[in-house]
Structure formats: structure tokens, C-alpha cells
Amino acid sequence: QVQLVESGGGLVQAGGSLRLSCEASGSIFSINAMGWYRQAPGKQRELVATLTRDGSTNYADSVKGRFTISRDNAKNTVYLQMNSLKPEDTAVYYCNARDVVVRPTRYLEFWGQGTLVTVSS
């Protein structure tokens, strides 16, 4: 099977930066899209950013210009560089991998366990 392991969360002051990483492990042949979602206390999980294998990106309006998603396809790893962090960015950040091929099976998606990002004012 496939496991997604996130790292890089923590406590940071408003205006600061953090970089999240997520590595997908297992007998992976290919992953189409990798991305990040977040869930703040009392709120639903929401999209932060996604990046397809061919380089197409999608960002939530709230993070455009501040967050950058990148990916190392050879390492099945996705990164999220978060700059100019705001208290409202506080949430558990989840890594997602979509359309994953582990031959001979294609899986819809996998999720990581989440990493907490706390931005103090």
C-alpha cells in the first residue's frame, strides 16, 4: 500500500514562514496529483494547493501569492512553502495524493496523517 508522511509543521509568529514536506512511499508506479488541504478547528477540510504531474497548479484564493507548492516526481514528494503566515492559516495540514498507480491497481487517493501549523499573532 501507499503511505504519506508529512513533516515541517510547528509554531510560528505571524509574518513568518514554514515549509511542509510530504513523501509518498510504497510500490508506487505513478501519482497524478499531489496537494495540501487543511482543517481548522470547527471548520471543514479545505483545499490549499494542488500540483499535477504535468505541472498544473491550483491554489485557494486565501493563499495565492503567499504559498508555493512544488514537487519532486522522482521522490514522490510534495512541498508547500508558506510565507507571510497569518493566524487564520492555523490548521492541521493534510497531504493528499490522487490517482495513484500501484501496479496493477489504480487508487483514487491517499491521505497523510496531518501536521499541525500554528500561527501566533
Side-chain angles (χ1 to χ4, degrees):
Q1 275 284 356
V2 175
Q3 284 191 320
L4 302 182
V5 179
E6 300 113 331
S7 61
L11 173 64
V12 64
Q13 287 188 331
S17 299
L18 282 175
R19 187 186 193 221
L20 305 183
S21 300
C22 171
E23 180 178 5
S25 62
S27 300
I28 299 168
F29 177 73
S30 66
I31 302 174
N32 183 16
M34 297 188 77
W36 295 91
Y37 293 72
R38 67 187 181 187
Q39 187 167 17
K43 295 187 176 182
Q44 289 189 332
R45 190 174 298 188
E46 63 176 7
L47 168 75
V48 177
T50 60
L51 173 58
T52 64
R53 190 174 182 84
D54 63 2
S56 297
T57 57
N58 184 32
Y59 290 94
D61 288 343
S62 59
V63 307
K64 284 181 181 177
R66 300 188 298 121
F67 291 10
T68 302
I69 190 170
S70 61
R71 179 174 169 176
D72 185 334
N73 290 328
K75 295 181 180 180
N76 291 323
T77 299
V78 64
Y79 307 95
L80 185 68
Q81 178 66 43
M82 304 185 293
N83 299 328
S84 301
L85 282 160
K86 304 175 181 180
E88 50 263 45
D89 294 317
T90 295
V92 177
Y93 284 70
Y94 295 92
C95 178
N96 174 270
R98 188 162 294 183
D99 190 13
V100 181
V101 176
V102 179
R103 283 184 165 172
T105 305
R106 182 184 299 269
Y107 296 89
L108 177 60
E109 63 182 353
F110 292 94
W111 289 93
Q113 80 286 354
T115 185
L116 178 63
V117 172
T118 304
V119 184
S120 62
S121 57

